[in-house]
């Protein structure tokens, strides 16, 4: 379980693509806090750390994850948002993020508004149904508050700290982003469709 508060902006040192999947090698000081088999969120995707050596760790990305996320588009030299799992005694500073990406959206507009930057993202209809104004959403693993919802898009407003500490600061129209909607919304929808005691 994660909170959507990015701990470091990692450097993609190597990308090995094969018919079986993709192995990412990421460079970050956070590697020293990882053990073999530990979970780590990479651009909002929960992956398993392997091959840890110094300030580098590897992570295997299987076909299901490649289909559901933008990790297949990551190139050497790219920057990725990293977060370690929430400790049981830690603070929930963002919102509950599983690291189970629901799908990929695309940035369609970026503009400054005072010291903030408004980023508008086009999202699949099956995900946008769970997005509400002032609700929470994870974009590339970053916990954000939805500022506005349109027919096919939603907008978030990023403060300077977020722009500096995450890869969203470099987002431009056309940039693909991983989206994870609020899990609570999906549970509520299912319970409303099949309330306890209801006949099938």
């Amino acid at each position: 379980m994660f909170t959507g508060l990015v701990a470091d902006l990692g450097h993609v040192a190597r990308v090995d693509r094969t018919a079986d999947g993709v192995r990412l090698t990421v460079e970050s000081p956070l590697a020293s806090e990882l053990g073999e088999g530990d979970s780590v969120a990479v651009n909002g995707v929960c992956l398993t750390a392997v091959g840890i050596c110094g300030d580098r760790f590897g992570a295997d990305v299987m076909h299901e994850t490649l289909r559901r996320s933008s990790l297949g588009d990551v190139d050497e030299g790219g920057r990725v948002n990293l977060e370690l799992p929430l400790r049981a005694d830690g603070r929930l500073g963002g919102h509950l993020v599983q690291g189970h990406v629901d799908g990929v959206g695309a940035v369609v507009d970026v503009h400054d508004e005072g010291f903030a930057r408004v980023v508008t993202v086009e999202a699949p209809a099956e995900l946008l149904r769970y997005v509400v104004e002032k609700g929470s959403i994870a974009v590339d693993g970053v916990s954000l508050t939805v500022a506005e919802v349109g027919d096919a898009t939603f907008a978030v407003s990023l403060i300077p700290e977020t722009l500096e500490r995450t890869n969203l600061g470099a987002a431009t129209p056309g940039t693909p982003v991983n989206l994870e909607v609020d899990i609570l919304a999906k549970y509520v929808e299912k319970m409303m469709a099949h309330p306890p005691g209801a006949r099938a």
Side-chain angles (χ1 to χ4, degrees):
M1 188 68 69
F2 304 91
T3 69
L5 299 185
V6 171
D8 189 43
L9 197 52
H11 172 261
V12 179
R14 182 170 175 174
V15 178
D16 296 303
R17 292 182 173 90
T18 70
D20 296 323
V22 174
R23 164 69 68 91
L24 297 178
T25 301
V26 180
E27 185 175 355
S28 166
L30 291 183
S32 65
E33 300 183 46
L34 291 169
E36 296 286 332
D38 282 353
S39 294
V40 58
V42 179
N43 276 359
V45 181
C46 181
L47 299 176
T48 300
V50 296
I52 301 166
C53 183
D55 61 355
R56 292 187 176 190
F57 69 90
D60 293 321
V61 188
M62 61 185 175
H63 290 297
E64 167 66 9
T65 305
L66 293 172
R67 285 191 295 267
R68 291 269 190 168
S69 76
S70 65
L71 290 185
D73 298 324
V74 171
D75 291 319
E76 291 182 10
R79 306 302 296 270
V80 288
N81 297 326
L82 301 176
E83 183 186 356
L84 300 179
L86 176 66
R87 294 181 182 274
D89 61 350
R91 293 180 177 176
L92 183 59
H95 73 283
L96 293 176
V97 177
Q98 294 183 296
H100 302 163
V101 169
D102 293 300
V104 178
V107 175
V108 293
D109 183 70
V110 177
H111 68 271
D112 292 331
E113 189 175 76
F115 59 70
R117 184 173 300 166
V118 178
V119 177
T120 301
V121 178
E122 185 176 42
E126 64 269 21
L127 299 186
L128 200 62
R129 64 187 295 173
Y130 301 112
V131 181
V132 296
E133 188 173 325
K134 301 307 176 185
S136 296
I137 191 167
V139 179
D140 264 2
V142 183
S143 175
L144 297 170
T145 300
V146 177
E148 184 179 352
V149 181
D151 292 336
T153 63
F154 68 89
V156 291
S157 188
L158 311 180
I159 61 173
E161 176 74 5
T162 304
L163 295 172
E164 181 179 345
R165 291 180 60 89
T166 76
N167 63 9
L168 295 182
T172 58
T175 299
V177 287
N178 294 322
L179 303 177
E180 182 184 332
V181 299
D182 190 346
I183 184 64
L184 297 179
K186 292 193 285 187
Y187 278 125
V188 169
E189 180 185 59
K190 184 171 183 177
M191 287 188 292
M192 293 295 290
H194 304 285
R199 293 174 180 254

